[in-house]
Amino acid sequence: MKRNRVRLAALLLALLLAAGLAPPKGRAVLSGVYFTAVNEQLLELSSDTMPFLSGGVWYVPSRLFVGTDLGVNYVPNYTLGLEILYTNKTDLRFNMEGQYAFDRSGNTYNEYAIERGGVVFFPLPLVCRRFDLRWSITETDTVPLIRVKSASAILDDRDFIDAAAGQMSSRYAEYEKAVTSTGEGLPPAVDQPVQAAEGQKVYLVVDGQPDTLSVLAQLGSYQATFLLTVDEMEDGDLLRALVAGGHGVALEASGETDSELEYEVEQARALLWQATCSWLELVWCANRTDPGPVLDRLGCEEVSADLSARDGLAEPSQAAVLMRSIGRYREDVSVFLGSGRARLGGLPTLLEALAEGGYRVCAWRIGGRQAAG
């Protein structure tokens, strides 16, 4: 064993020399960024698989259990809706819908897995307890390192960090350059959430079809305001689903003249009343600069957005960027999100961050929306 330890230390020292000198202390400027390692293997630095803290629990990506020497295997079971970690002795089965875990012996656990941007993250303490693993979080010269270790780990944390310092330096430099040059790629961590002002509301505005039902599923118990054209409002089942869920329904008007806008409102009102016995009061006017007078005459209110994510929320990193923008407002704020499942993969991350920050997520109600500045 001692000979193996010396051989491995020499190998890691060679990697250190090949990667260059270690960076000066205090070099890192990005927050919420973490290295991950499995035994003596430093994993790639990626915002898509960055560990994060949620509810006081560290979560790590499924990447840790694929192609590493932890001895724990990962396999998804899409038919049963389970994400499974297993060895030849035991297992953990995470129910994604029910938000709990259980094992082959019938034991259940309150901890659950989280999916972000198509990546499944597992609660690190539970996984380590179940599979006899150890984990640690240690400061380095760039960003903290989260390391998961099995019985086969050789180096202690400090020796590993010293040996891998060159790799950490180069990988962090590449990551920092990519993030600062594009403004994107920030990690999904929400361990230090933006805090709402007292009673502050966030009004989420979502463009409607063709994928409204999938957006509803992602929203869960949260309400938003959906923009629908007159043609889209012909889907009575969709209107009933929105109203039954407490969501706001707004006409996405295209008319440029007063008469065109009035005609659209009359059509939309007839469709919404027929399907739900609800009266249309909200209108989004994309082609009008001052629709106020005609909307006042019709008894309607204009839906608008203080912030816009017109490119959607395809990634958790985009949710983190949007969350920082929301944090600059200290009163109620409306946010246009766009639509489509492929573009809203980061919506669960945004909702979690809003909840942890104490924001109230609401549907737009006439007279209840205070202008945010």
Side-chain angles (χ1 to χ4, degrees), residues 99-221:
Q99 293 193 327
Y100 66 92
F102 63 100
D103 59 36
R104 66 179 67 171
S105 300
N107 302 309
T108 59
Y109 307 88
N110 292 328
E111 294 96 324
Y112 53 87
I114 296 175
E115 182 176 355
R116 287 183 167 180
V119 178
V120 175
F121 292 79
F122 295 107
L124 183 55
L126 172 62
V127 171
C128 287
R129 291 197 310 269
R130 187 64 183 165
F131 296 105
D132 294 325
L133 303 174
R134 294 171 292 128
W135 72 280
S136 59
I137 178 168
T138 310
E139 293 294 331
T140 75
D141 287 338
T142 48
V143 297
L145 166 73
I146 293 180
R147 187 178 179 213
V148 184
K149 295 157 283 188
S150 67
S152 63
I154 298 175
L155 298 179
D156 63 26
D157 289 337
R158 185 46 57 191
D159 287 342
F160 174 79
I161 290 171
D162 289 343
Q167 282 185 313
M168 290 181 179
S169 175
S170 59
R171 290 184 185 183
Y172 179 80
E174 293 175 1
Y175 180 83
E176 183 184 72
K177 181 180 179 180
V179 170
T180 55
S181 63
T182 64
E184 299 180 353
L186 292 174
V190 292
D191 54 310
Q192 295 180 331
V194 176
Q195 294 296 318
E198 184 177 357
Q200 187 177 1
K201 302 180 184 69
V202 172
Y203 300 90
L204 301 180
V205 181
V206 185
D207 197 7
Q209 295 276 30
D211 214 16
T212 303
L213 293 180
S214 70
V215 177
L216 283 175
Q218 293 183 74
L219 283 169
S221 61

Side-chain angles (χ1 to χ4, degrees), residues 4-36:
N4 289 339
R5 182 188 297 271
V6 173
R7 184 183 301 117
L8 184 56
L11 175 61
L12 290 176
L13 180 59
L15 291 174
L16 165 65
L17 295 174
L21 296 176
K25 291 185 180 295
R27 179 188 178 286
V29 297
L30 298 178
S31 62
V33 181
Y34 299 88
F35 284 114
T36 51

Side-chain angles (χ1 to χ4, degrees), residues 218-347:
Q218 293 183 74
L219 283 169
S221 61
Y222 294 98
Q223 279 81 45
T225 301
F226 287 81
L227 311 178
L228 300 174
T229 66
V230 170
D231 289 342
E232 291 165 351
M233 286 190 177
E234 293 180 354
D235 187 343
D237 290 337
L238 173 61
L239 294 178
R240 284 185 284 273
L242 291 174
V243 172
H247 301 282
V249 177
L251 168 66
E252 186 175 359
S254 59
E256 298 182 2
T257 67
D258 288 358
S259 59
E260 290 173 339
L261 178 56
E262 186 170 353
Y263 179 67
E264 281 186 274
V265 170
E266 291 175 350
Q267 285 184 299
R269 275 186 168 161
L271 292 169
L272 185 60
W273 182 261
Q274 180 181 3
T276 69
C277 294
S278 300
W279 192 243
L280 178 74
E281 298 176 317
L282 304 175
V283 180
W284 172 280
C285 297
N287 298 328
R288 294 288 299 267
T289 56
D290 185 21
V294 64
L295 292 181
D296 288 343
R297 188 170 70 250
L298 295 170
C300 293
E301 182 168 297
E302 183 183 10
V303 176
S304 59
D306 303 303
L307 293 172
S308 177
R310 292 188 177 275
D311 293 331
L313 292 174
E315 302 294 338
S317 57
Q318 292 174 303
V321 172
L322 180 58
M323 193 65 208
R324 287 196 298 276
S325 298
I326 292 173
R328 289 196 288 268
Y329 288 78
R330 305 310 296 164
E331 51 190 2
D332 297 349
V333 57
S334 59
V335 184
F336 178 75
L337 298 183
S339 67
R341 189 172 187 177
R343 291 193 294 153
L344 287 179
L347 179 56

